[in-house]
């Protein structure tokens, strides 16, 4: 394939944008981890949380290799922090929670599962039950799934290719040498 000079320049700009985006997403995830931990436990814990995140080898690897993990993590952490703010500050923070979870869920569907924890907290905690009588939580929930709807519809129309490939590979070629030690380690933790 022969690329014209203009096409090569455009391709190089796209590659550069991706290379720059992931370290920036790592910085965003670090700040979000700090903000979330600070909101719960104070500044010292926030600093240690961000530092601990940055020394994880998988986090450092995600910061330099493009993939869905880092954007999902960054926006899930932002959503968790925005949720804590929404409990005291209302609608704009609920909308930020919903928007961040929509972005995160487009990178990893599992990010939408944070809603289970949010809803559980708002049901279980007597202090936060009033959120169920306000529109913010419902608007945020709708915003999350409205933002995720195009990806879900596309995947449904195309036979769920991402899920099918991963699931099929797992079923047809199990790696027992990796699975059994992981199950053993999980059993020890119980």
């Amino acid at each position: 394939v022969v690329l014209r000079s203009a096409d090569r320049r455009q391709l190089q700009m796209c590659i550069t944008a991706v290379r720059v985006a992931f370290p920036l997403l790592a910085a965003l995830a670090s700040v979000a981890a700090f903000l979330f931990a600070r909101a719960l436990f104070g500044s010292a814990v926030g600093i240690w949380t961000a530092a601990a995140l940055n020394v994880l080898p998988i986090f450092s690897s995600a910061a330099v290799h493009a993939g869905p993990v880092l954007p999902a993590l960054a926006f899930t952490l932002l959503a968790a922090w925005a949720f804590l703010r929404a409990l005291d500050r209302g609608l704009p923070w609920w909308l930020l929670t919903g928007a961040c979870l929509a972005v995160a869920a487009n990178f990893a569907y599992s990010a939408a599962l944070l809603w289970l924890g949010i809803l559980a907290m708002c049901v279980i905690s007597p202090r936060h039950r009033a959120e169920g009588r306000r529109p913010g939580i419902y608007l945020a929930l709708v915003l999350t799934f409205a933002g995720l709807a195009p990806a879900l519809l596309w995947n449904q129309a195309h036979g769920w290719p991402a899920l099918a490939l991963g699931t099929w590979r797992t079923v047809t070629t199990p790696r027992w040498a990796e699975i059994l030690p992981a199950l053993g380690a999980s059993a020890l933790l119980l």
Side-chain angles (χ1 to χ4, degrees):
V1 174
V2 177
L3 293 175
R4 295 185 326 229
S5 178
D7 292 337
R8 280 194 304 267
R9 280 194 304 274
Q10 189 173 16
L11 179 63
Q12 187 60 41
M13 286 179 9
C14 290
I15 291 169
T16 301
V18 169
R19 285 183 181 157
V20 169
F22 278 80
L24 292 176
L25 282 168
L28 178 65
S30 299
V31 169
F34 166 77
L35 292 170
F36 180 62
R38 182 183 71 177
L40 289 172
F41 306 110
S43 293
V45 173
I47 290 168
W48 281 105
T49 301
L53 180 64
N54 278 276
V55 298
L56 290 173
I58 193 165
F59 182 76
S60 300
S61 175
V64 294
H65 296 100
V69 173
L70 190 58
L73 174 66
F75 285 98
T76 301
L77 285 168
L78 275 176
W81 171 68
F83 162 66
L84 292 176
R85 308 268 303 182
L87 293 173
D88 297 327
R89 293 176 176 82
L91 185 61
W93 291 96
W94 277 116
L95 296 177
L96 181 61
T97 300
C100 287
L101 279 177
V103 173
N106 273 288
F107 286 98
Y109 294 145
S110 58
L113 294 175
L114 184 60
W115 274 110
L116 296 176
I118 290 172
L119 294 172
M121 182 176 169
C122 289
V123 168
I124 293 169
S125 170
R127 180 175 163 222
H128 299 110
R129 281 192 194 129
E131 293 301 325
R133 294 187 294 272
R134 297 185 186 114
I137 192 169
Y138 302 108
L139 291 172
L141 191 59
V142 167
L143 183 60
T144 297
F145 289 100
L148 184 56
L152 291 174
L153 291 172
W154 184 91
N155 273 288
Q156 188 272 332
H158 292 87
W160 301 96
L163 295 179
L165 178 62
T167 304
W168 180 249
R169 188 181 313 141
T170 302
V171 169
T172 59
T173 57
R175 295 186 207 145
W176 297 110
E178 296 173 15
I179 294 172
L180 294 176
L183 289 175
S186 297
L188 285 175
L189 291 174
L190 295 175

